Amino acid sequence: MTSHIERLVQQLDGESGASYDARAELIHMRSGAVPTVIAGLPSLGGFGQLTAIEVFEEVADPRCGPALIGLLVSENPTVRQWAATALAGLEIEGAVEPLRRAYRACLERRTPPDECEPVALRWALTDLGARTPVVPSLTAGLRAGTGADSPGWPTAHFARIVDDLADHDQLILHSQFWRVRAGTAYGLSATTPDWEHDWTKPWEHLVEEARTWSLLEAAEAPVGDDVFVTPTWIDRTDLHPER
């Protein structure tokens, strides 16, 4: 006989309204619902599994850890991405090595490093202390005076940061601009050059290409004492881990 919780789990794959209601009820049940959600994961499609991950994140029960680790090998890249983010956010013990394997598999599939899945995997490994981004001393120094809660660097320093990162063989993928008012950061739209990396090109070429485009972006960046920029960059080893 199917229990009420089991029916809710199956509804996670339903129409958006029913799925949302089931998600909310499962979250309200807290840890009592977790074993049944875990048991029902294999029967769910991609949408249902993504919603189940949201339940795990809200309930924050460490028993979901093995299930999230299992989703790192899902055939659905978005499920893999969300699972990686949840593992880091919940600080699941034993997640580092599975995340490393998932990242290696991502590279072996030649997934471009600026796509959502590798971005999430790098963030998760960094957040869990298993990956240390290269931060040149000049870039680190320019950040030091902005305060622990700052979302990034003052845009006045953006061009210097671009050159510093490129000079240290770091490749900027993209940058986000923020305005901070009353302690709250708001994302800003900016005139961003439309470019795509050709990941078949040599690393050195990619770094210099990113420098050129990022300097153009810096020239058009919004300015002001309350405006900050957060560049996202990768190291050579994030594309070629064997080197």
Side-chain angles (χ1 to χ4, degrees):
M1 185 175 181
T2 304
S3 72
H4 177 57
I5 300 179
E6 288 173 326
R7 287 193 294 272
L8 289 175
V9 172
Q10 293 309 308
Q11 288 171 19
L12 295 177
D13 245 342
E15 296 293 330
S16 58
S19 177
Y20 181 84
D21 290 343
R23 170 187 176 276
E25 190 168 349
L26 289 166
I27 290 171
H28 182 71
M29 293 177 181
R30 308 304 296 172
S31 293
V34 167
T36 307
V37 179
I38 292 172
L41 270 180
S43 66
L44 297 175
F47 180 75
Q49 289 184 342
L50 292 173
T51 311
I53 292 172
E54 292 180 322
V55 173
F56 292 150
E57 289 179 309
E58 289 292 331
V59 176
D61 187 320
R63 289 178 297 172
C64 70
L68 288 169
I69 288 171
L71 292 178
L72 290 176
V73 295
S74 167
E75 293 184 359
N76 185 318
T78 306
V79 170
R80 297 194 299 265
Q81 171 200 338
W82 284 32
T85 301
L87 284 165
L90 296 173
E91 299 182 344
I92 296 298
E93 185 175 353
V96 167
E97 284 308 315
L99 285 166
R100 281 178 173 150
R101 289 195 297 270
Y103 191 47
R104 285 195 294 269
C106 195
L107 294 175
E108 289 168 2
R109 288 191 294 270
R110 298 191 178 278
T111 306
D114 51 354
E115 290 194 4
C116 293
E117 182 186 1
V119 168
L121 286 163
R122 284 194 303 271
W123 174 83
L125 288 167
T126 302
D127 196 60
L128 292 173
R131 173 182 176 271
T132 303
V134 175
V135 184
S137 58
L138 173 61
T139 296
L142 292 172
R143 178 70 182 269
T146 60
D149 296 331
S150 167
W153 288 259
T155 52
H157 300 320
F158 190 19
R160 295 177 68 193
I161 293 166
V162 169
D163 279 330
D164 190 38
L165 290 170
D167 289 345
H168 287 83
D169 207 30
Q170 303 301 293
L171 189 156
I172 296 177
L173 294 174
H174 52 80
S175 299
Q176 172 64 51
F177 297 94
W178 309 89
R179 174 166 278 115
V180 177
R181 288 185 174 167
T184 301
Y186 302 90
L188 294 177
S189 58
T191 305
T192 304
D194 185 17
W195 91 87
E196 292 185 6
H197 293 289
D198 180 354
W199 298 108
T200 64
K201 292 183 178 180
W203 177 259
E204 293 77 10
H205 175 92
L206 292 168
V207 168
E208 290 306 316
E209 185 178 60
R211 183 206 299 262
T212 297
W213 286 109
S214 294
L215 287 174
L216 288 173
E217 189 174 25
E220 299 293 332
V223 295
D225 293 340
D226 59 350
V227 181
F228 296 82
V229 61
T230 307
T232 297
W233 68 89
I234 59 174
D235 185 64
R236 182 190 298 261
T237 56
D238 289 311
L239 188 61
H240 305 290
E242 73 282 359
R243 297 183 186 178

